[in-house]
Amino acid sequence: MDPNSKAAAQPAKDFLAAAASIAASAMLARSLVNDLLPKEARGYFSSATKALRARFSAGQHTVNIEEVEGWSSNLVYSAVQSYLAAKISSSSTRRVRVSKRAGAEKKSIGVFLEEGEEVTDTFRGCEFKWRLLSRDNNLVVDQPKKIQLYQLSFDRTYKDVIFDAYLPYVLDRADEIKAGEKKLKIHLNEQDWWMPISLHHPATFDTLAMDTDLKQDVMGDLARFVERKEYYRKIGRAWKRGYLIHGPPGTGKSSLVAAMANYLKFDIYDLELTAVKWNSALKRLLIGMKNKSILLVEDIDCSIRLRRREPRPSSETPCGRGKDERVTLSGLLNLVDGLWSSCGEERIVVFTTNYKDRLDPALLRPGRMDVHVHMGYCGASAFRTLAYNYHDVDDHPLFGEIEEMIGEAKVTPGEVAEVLTRSGDAESAFGGLVEFLQVKRDRGTEEEEEMEDKREEEFDLVSNVSNPENDYNEDGLHGGSTSRTMYSRADWPPINFRGGRGGYMQSFRGRGGHSQSFRGTGEGNLQSYRGRGRGRRGRRQFVNIVWGRVV
Ligand SMILES: Nc1ncnc2c1ncn2[C@@H]1O[C@H](COP(=O)(O)OP(=O)(O)OP(=O)(O)O)[C@@H](O)[C@H]1O
């Protein structure tokens, strides 16, 4: 039996054990009364308990909760059903119904009351009795002939507790129980609607290899977030939280998002922005998201190579909708901060990128993304998590050597994971990792020297291709010499290859609203430079330049 089905079967087992012991105690008590008390005393005992019961029930009130309410199912009924299912194992209920839904992915066994059976519950010192009953239903055709209902009996002095505290508590507990059983989904956007698919990503915070303190911080932040409904209401802010997850490919950014979803039991809405053309479609998608969910935009640096805002051509303008706008970064951010955040709650927004320094400053502005998480190269604690995940080993004579080399070799957790899976035997897997790290470390040193030489060449290239004849900017004006006054930096991020039209594409962005791009010719790889230049308007500007070979 797998652990899930064992856990699921536990309530049924507990129930059977409890029922057996209660039945045994009842039999013992009855035989003691019969054996020890004389006949007259037995009669007195039975009428005394009857009188006591009658007196008690005189002050009893009842609330009926039926399974349907008009044509729709009654959500309170299903909440009570879930709530009681968790109580049955510890109650004295004699008959229960055990079932498993057809097609249920998890081997879960539900334990429910049988008709006529009772469960007693105690809340804040008050005792409540739940009973499952049914009534005939001859009035409404197309509905079952019998309608089940839970009858809640309680002393009338508890009336206020019932409505003010007990039933709300039952609903909350039922939500928690259901959340525990919730099957997660990942929703993918198709035009302006979402297509849900079951999410089976096994990543959890236990399996995620990352710096231990950082992991604790992220988990603590998430736990705080979901508890803070009242706090967000009090400060007048939408109940949402933004995460920017950045780091080189293969460091576990997507795995972290999956771990977050599994931890919070939130669905993921994976927004492929390049497939969304117009802001109106984006609005529909965002409004179509449910609460308790994660909006994920991966590789935001690439997705948001989105067009400047342009009105929709009149031929494409839908009747009566006026001018629509192409999706842009600011459009997305406005929606996320404005309209969307006001029509839902408990949402997490996650943007991922391999290149944080290529992001639009609007995204990095304080207050925009609440938490920035850097997923870096594999360190010692991340390696130990992987070693344990893949080989159930938490210590080994090679660990010292591995941990010494791992920092210098600049390997991603993804690479380490891949090497560790090459052998099922821990000994040879760790041996293989030592060799891999040695190669990576040596190669890393050589590559760094080559990169340095290349940076020098590429810097020259920028000056060469900056030919005013070919220059243009997005307004159709000729560009100037902005590109010529630049300073290369020694620590540019890895190259992201992207083509321009028929040669090298360069784009400049100046802080003072000065923005232009132009083509040139030449050789070299795509590279990103940032430096200070003097723009056409004579202002000192921050210049961002990208160029690359057409592919
Ligand atoms: N931090 C990590 N912990 C555990 N496994 C990891 C980690 N990083 C990478 N892996 C392994 O490498 C694979 C790729 O990782 P993942 O897709 O999460 O990385 P990424 O940073 O999102 O990469 P990309 O930027 O290319 O999308 C995962 O399926 C997982 O097996």
Side-chain angles (χ1 to χ4, degrees):
M1 205 186 240
D2 77 29
N4 280 344
S5 54
K6 263 194 199 159
Q10 198 54 42
K13 279 194 190 157
D14 290 352
F15 166 75
L16 291 175
S21 96
I22 285 157
S25 315
M27 279 165 67
L28 181 66
R30 205 168 49 212
S31 76
L32 281 175
V33 167
N34 286 338
D35 293 349
L36 300 178
L37 293 183
K39 200 172 171 210
E40 304 74 49
R42 283 207 303 264
Y44 174 76
F45 181 80
S46 133
S47 53
T49 50
K50 262 189 205 150
L52 199 68
R53 236 182 290 146
R55 217 174 108 206
F56 182 69
S57 49
Q60 292 278 292
H61 279 201
T62 54
V63 172
N64 287 348
I65 298 167
E66 301 200 345
E67 62 180 317
V68 286
E69 196 58 52
W71 290 104
S72 50
S73 52
N74 182 358
L75 297 181
V76 183
Y77 177 91
S78 63
V80 171
Q81 192 171 46
S82 308
Y83 176 75
L84 292 183
K87 291 265 161 200
I88 288 176
S89 61
S90 56
S91 76
S92 59
T93 316
R94 286 168 301 179
R95 291 179 306 131
V96 289
R97 197 162 42 83
V98 176
S99 74
K100 174 178 173 293
R101 262 181 297 124
E105 287 166 35
K106 210 165 108 188
K107 295 169 192 154
S108 55
I109 299 175
V111 183
F112 304 102
L113 277 187
E114 263 296 19
E115 204 177 309
E117 287 299 324
E118 241 178 42
V119 172
T120 304
D121 189 22
T122 309
F123 175 77
R124 296 190 186 165
C126 314
E127 195 172 88
F128 300 107
K129 273 196 193 329
W130 288 99
R131 197 158 210 230
L132 183 65
L133 301 171
S134 67
R135 69 164 177 85
D136 291 337
N137 177 38
N138 297 321
L139 296 176
V140 187
V141 279
D142 296 341
Q143 270 195 0
K145 291 284 171 244
K146 278 208 177 286
I147 292 201
Q148 289 201 306
L149 59 106
Y150 284 105
Q151 187 171 72
L152 173 61
S153 316
F154 52 94
D155 190 275
R156 64 178 173 196
T157 50
Y158 303 156
K159 214 164 79 184
D160 290 343
V161 181
I162 284 281
F163 295 106
D164 294 346
Y166 183 58
L167 284 178
Y169 165 77
V170 169
L171 296 182
D172 284 350
R173 275 294 298 135
D175 275 352
E176 285 166 24
I177 293 163
K178 284 182 185 160
E181 296 164 352
K182 186 176 161 187
K183 311 270 175 313
L184 295 190
K185 295 215 158 26
I186 180 160
H187 304 254
L188 309 175
N189 57 307
E190 287 276 330
Q191 293 162 17
D192 56 358
W193 48 272
W194 293 105
M195 189 175 66
I197 305 171
S198 291
L199 175 67
H200 294 295
H201 203 301
T204 64
F205 279 107
D206 286 337
T207 64
L208 196 65
M210 65 191 279
D211 178 76
T212 316
D213 290 342
L214 182 59
K215 192 190 286 189
Q216 290 306 328
D217 285 351
V218 173
M219 290 174 74
D221 190 76
L222 291 171
R224 254 192 318 280
F225 170 73
V226 293
E227 302 267 294
R228 289 185 127 185
K229 179 176 184 163
E230 271 312 302
Y231 171 78
Y232 279 90
R233 197 188 53 75
K234 193 173 127 236
I235 60 171
R237 277 184 59 182
W239 191 12
K240 73 171 172 66
R241 192 129 180 101
Y243 281 77
L244 176 69
I245 305 177
H246 58 100
T251 48
K253 297 182 295 298
S254 310
S255 307
L256 172 58
V257 179
M260 289 164 78
N262 286 327
Y263 179 63
L264 296 173
K265 299 265 180 289
F266 279 16
D267 280 2
I268 297 178
Y269 287 77
D270 187 357
L271 180 63
E272 177 51 61
L273 260 185
T274 48
V276 188
K277 253 181 157 180
W278 305 103
N279 265 351
S280 53
L282 183 62
K283 266 184 216 166
R284 278 193 290 277
L285 281 167
L286 295 187
I287 289 169
M289 284 178 62
K290 292 196 178 136
N291 293 343
K292 288 181 180 289
S293 57
I294 297 177
L295 171 66
L296 170 65
V297 184
E298 289 208 82
D299 298 321
I300 186 82
D301 52 313
C302 304
S303 319
I304 293 291
R305 194 164 294 276
L306 299 173
R307 301 133 297 236
R308 281 157 59 99
R309 284 195 169 191
E310 293 165 18
R312 191 196 274 264
S314 54
S315 58
E316 288 185 42
T317 305
C319 286
R321 239 194 248 152
K323 279 186 181 170
D324 201 349
E325 284 169 339
R326 282 185 182 274
V327 170
T328 55
L329 176 63
S330 61
L332 172 69
L333 296 177
N334 285 343
L335 280 175
V336 165
D337 284 348
L339 173 85
W340 175 72
S341 62
S342 62
C343 60
E345 51 183 32
E346 226 179 338
R347 264 103 171 245
I348 306 250
V349 181
V350 179
F351 292 156
T352 72
T353 177
N354 294 342
Y355 308 105
K356 185 180 174 188
D357 52 350
R358 288 188 193 169
L359 292 182
D360 192 302
L363 258 170
L364 300 172
R365 225 174 46 208
R368 178 71 82 189
M369 304 307 285
D370 304 288
V371 185
H372 291 200
V373 181
H374 178 238
M375 297 297 282
Y377 290 113
C378 193
S381 64
F383 157 69
R384 281 188 180 250
T385 306
L386 291 172
Y388 190 77
N389 288 349
Y390 286 85
H391 293 285
D392 278 335
V393 172
D394 52 18
D395 206 3
H396 188 275
L398 285 177
F399 276 15
E401 195 176 344
I402 290 173
E403 286 174 5
E404 212 171 277
M405 276 194 290
I406 208 158
E408 299 163 24
K410 285 198 177 167
V411 287
T412 64
E415 287 174 302
V416 174
E418 198 274 319
V419 176
L420 292 180
T421 48
R422 284 183 201 162
S423 169
D425 166 50
E427 201 61 34
S428 52
F430 295 139
L433 184 58
V434 169
E435 283 170 28
F436 175 80
L437 292 176
Q438 274 162 351
V439 173
K440 282 289 276 193
R441 192 182 53 182
D442 298 345
R443 198 184 295 158
T445 319
E446 282 168 26
E447 270 174 11
E448 250 171 40
E449 284 164 8
E450 274 171 30
M451 282 281 284
E452 196 49 49
D453 295 346
K454 213 163 167 197
R455 275 192 203 108
E456 303 280 315
E457 284 167 23
E458 279 163 352
F459 182 71
D460 290 344
L461 183 71
V462 176
S463 308
N464 294 339
V465 299
S466 163
N467 175 0
E469 293 293 306
N470 294 330
D471 291 356
Y472 73 95
N473 63 24
E474 287 178 11
D475 299 319
L477 301 172
H478 280 279
S481 56
T482 320
S483 66
R484 293 198 179 133
T485 324
M486 299 182 305
Y487 308 96
S488 63
R489 268 172 38 167
D491 57 345
W492 277 115
I495 288 162
N496 185 14
F497 212 81
R498 212 175 307 282
R501 282 161 289 177
Y504 281 82
M505 196 272 287
Q506 306 188 5
S507 71
F508 292 12
R509 179 165 303 193
R511 273 246 171 99
H514 178 79
S515 170
Q516 61 175 300
S517 62
F518 63 86
R519 286 181 293 162
T521 54
E523 289 292 327
N525 291 319
L526 185 78
Q527 183 57 283
S528 206
Y529 277 77
R530 192 177 286 189
R532 283 188 186 280
R534 200 170 282 278
R536 277 177 301 150
R537 294 170 202 166
R539 273 204 303 255
R540 280 182 75 75
Q541 290 177 336
F542 199 76
V543 179
N544 194 1
I545 301 171
V546 182
W547 81 97
R549 187 166 45 210
V550 177
V551 287

